[in-house]
Amino acid sequence: MGVPIPAQQMLDWLQSHYMNVPLEWLEACLEFLQQEYQGKNISIEQMRMLVKEQWLLVDLKDLQCGCLPDNIAQSLNCSLPDSYALQMLAFLFTVSFKSCRGWRMKTC
């Protein structure tokens, strides 16, 4: 494997891309990937993409690491000026399309 990435450096990179994860999950993820790619020369950029792929596959509820402001549940209407990574578990296109027309979907 290439140069190992310190967990804190990877955590900083994830957070700079609006991906919040607990340090324990990240450490386990890095350990898993190091075992999977043992003996292969993986660059830091490739490792970042592998971690991001794992993040995309995980159920974010299991991580118990929210990204929205704490007081959002008490708000009837609010504006969120920052960027947030959200996971949609189910999307009923025909019913939800009208309410989501104004959303601008953006990938990181």
Side-chain angles (χ1 to χ4, degrees), residues 4-20:
I5 296 181
Q8 187 60 51
Q9 181 183 351
M10 181 65 77
L11 188 62
D12 293 342
W13 180 84
L14 288 168
Q15 290 173 344
S16 74
H17 289 81
Y18 312 105
M19 294 179 270
N20 295 323

Side-chain angles (χ1 to χ4, degrees), residues 38-93:
Q38 188 174 16
K40 296 183 180 158
N41 192 16
I42 304 293
S43 70
I44 291 175
E45 188 60 34
Q46 289 171 317
M47 182 59 82
R48 286 176 177 162
M49 292 304 108
L50 290 168
V51 170
K52 181 180 177 181
E53 184 177 304
Q54 293 300 310
W55 180 82
L56 290 169
L57 293 171
V58 75
D59 184 345
L60 298 181
K61 288 189 303 185
D62 292 342
L63 296 182
Q64 298 179 347
C65 189
C67 68
L68 294 174
D70 293 332
N71 61 349
I72 196 165
Q74 291 77 34
S75 301
L76 294 175
N77 188 10
C78 66
S79 175
L80 299 172
D82 294 326
S83 297
Y84 299 92
L86 304 176
Q87 184 178 58
M88 298 178 96
L89 300 178
F91 192 90
L92 301 175
F93 183 79

Side-chain angles (χ1 to χ4, degrees), residues 1-2 31-42:
M1 178 143 218
E31 184 178 322
F32 166 76
L33 291 172
Q34 287 170 355
Q35 290 173 0
E36 283 290 307
Y37 292 92
Q38 188 174 16
K40 296 183 180 158
N41 192 16
I42 304 293

